[in-house]
Amino acid sequence: MKSLPILREQGSDKAYVECTSGKVPVHTKCSYCLNCKGILVGARVMPSPYDNASSQIKGGSVPPEILMEAAMQFNSLVRDGSAVACEDEKDGGYAPRFRTRG
């Protein structure tokens, strides 16, 4: 697993990482990427709340609040964190966590 440092924009809440796909926003790309396994906060990697939400969604019908809670928790981790724990060892880049039905 690799660690991608979070790059912050001065005077803004925007956060980015240098991914194989290029410079991507953490809040809108990493949060929804299968390769994102957590956020480094201090000396500890906090697991991505989307992993738990994803398993609940796959298990059956789930209220939309589950995703909203995961998003709020993820954003709090990014605010306090310094890096993204990324499982993309094959350098494939962004891999969507959720697929749309088509």
Side-chain angles (χ1 to χ4, degrees):
M1 187 158 334
K2 56 187 172 182
S3 181
L4 304 175
I6 296 175
L7 311 169
R8 301 184 191 281
E9 232 177 62
Q10 189 71 19
S12 173
D13 289 336
K14 294 181 181 177
Y16 301 91
V17 293
E18 287 293 338
C19 173
T20 303
S21 303
K23 185 177 175 182
V24 297
V26 176
H27 294 96
T28 57
K29 282 291 187 189
C30 293
S31 59
Y32 299 114
C33 182
L34 273 173
N35 296 317
C36 179
K37 294 302 169 194
I39 304 294
L40 180 67
V41 179
R44 192 168 169 207
V45 174
M46 304 300 289
S48 174
Y50 284 102
D51 283 342
N52 185 32
S54 179
S55 66
Q56 289 180 4
I57 289 170
K58 289 177 184 174
S61 65
V62 115
E65 291 85 26
I66 295 295
L67 278 179
M68 182 56 75
E69 286 176 22
M72 292 185 333
Q73 290 172 354
F74 187 84
N75 290 344
S76 294
L77 291 173
V78 171
R79 178 196 65 214
D80 299 336
S82 60
V84 172
C86 181
E87 197 174 56
D88 184 21
E89 298 299 332
K90 296 180 181 175
D91 291 330
Y94 174 75
R97 182 182 302 271
F98 304 107
R99 304 251 185 237
T100 57
R101 294 180 185 169

